[in-house]
Amino acid sequence: MNPIRLGRTILFLLPYVLVVSGVLAASKVAGAPGGSAAALQALGIAAIGGIWIWRRDRSDKH
């Protein structure tokens, strides 16, 4: 696989990885004592991935 195609694949998949890993991390630490701050940080990472997906989708339609 050439480097350009590999880079495009990584940039395509990265926001989805952020969303999934953020939600999974938040669900894991939410039950721990004092884990609410870590859960909010993990959900923040998931939100960044979601915004990235939304912006990329909007820019592809124009």
Side-chain angles (χ1 to χ4, degrees):
M1 188 177 252
N2 68 24
I4 301 287
R5 184 174 291 168
L6 180 63
R8 286 183 182 167
T9 302
I10 290 171
L11 285 176
F12 177 77
L13 293 176
L14 184 60
Y16 298 104
V17 170
L18 287 176
V19 169
V20 170
S21 62
V23 169
L24 289 176
S27 67
K28 183 172 178 79
V29 298
S36 61
L40 285 174
Q41 290 174 350
L43 288 176
I45 297 296
I48 290 171
I51 292 170
W52 187 353
I53 294 167
W54 175 73
R55 289 293 298 163
R56 184 176 60 200
D57 186 45
R58 284 183 51 105
S59 67
D60 287 345
K61 291 182 180 177
H62 289 97

